[in-house]
């Protein structure tokens, strides 16, 4: 049984794939309607430079929180937001 691909079929298929890739790339990057977002971080940079957090999660988000007043070294090893101590063996 012949297991070779006809070279004409191969080159036609390769040309079609190349045309599709170029067309999709032009549509997303090269078309006149494509305008990447280059603004919007100025406010965030100002907040961080003033010492405020970059992002404040919602109050009901399940994320680690910094300890409240009176918390500290007894809560998670060191008083930080994360428990950096490995679990006991």
């Amino acid at each position: 049984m012949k297991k070779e691909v006809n070279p004409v079929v191969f080159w036609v298929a390769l040309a079609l794939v190349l045309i599709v890739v170029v067309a999709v790339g032009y549509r997303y990057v090269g078309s006149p309607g494509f305008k990447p977002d280059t603004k919007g971080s100025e406010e965030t940079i100002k907040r961080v430079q003033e010492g405020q957090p970059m992002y404040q999660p919602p109050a009901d988000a399940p994320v680690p929180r910094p300890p409240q007043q009176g918390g500290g070294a007894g809560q998670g090893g060191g008083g930080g937001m994360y428990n950096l101590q490995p679990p006991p063996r």
Side-chain angles (χ1 to χ4, degrees), residues 41-66:
S41 63
E42 291 85 5
E43 291 179 23
T44 304
I45 291 172
K46 280 183 184 177
R47 279 198 313 255
V48 170
Q49 288 174 344
E50 292 172 356
Q52 298 176 10
M54 184 180 293
Y55 172 73
Q56 187 65 36
D60 59 344
V63 295
R65 303 257 183 222

Side-chain angles (χ1 to χ4, degrees), residues 17-48:
V17 168
L18 187 62
I19 289 170
V20 168
V21 167
V22 169
V24 169
Y26 176 77
R27 175 164 167 107
Y28 286 110
V29 178
S31 65
F34 179 77
K35 292 183 177 52
D37 184 20
T38 57
K39 297 183 180 179
S41 63
E42 291 85 5
E43 291 179 23
T44 304
I45 291 172
K46 280 183 184 177
R47 279 198 313 255
V48 170

Side-chain angles (χ1 to χ4, degrees), residues 65-73 75 79:
R65 303 257 183 222
Q68 300 299 324
Q69 296 285 359
Q75 296 179 352

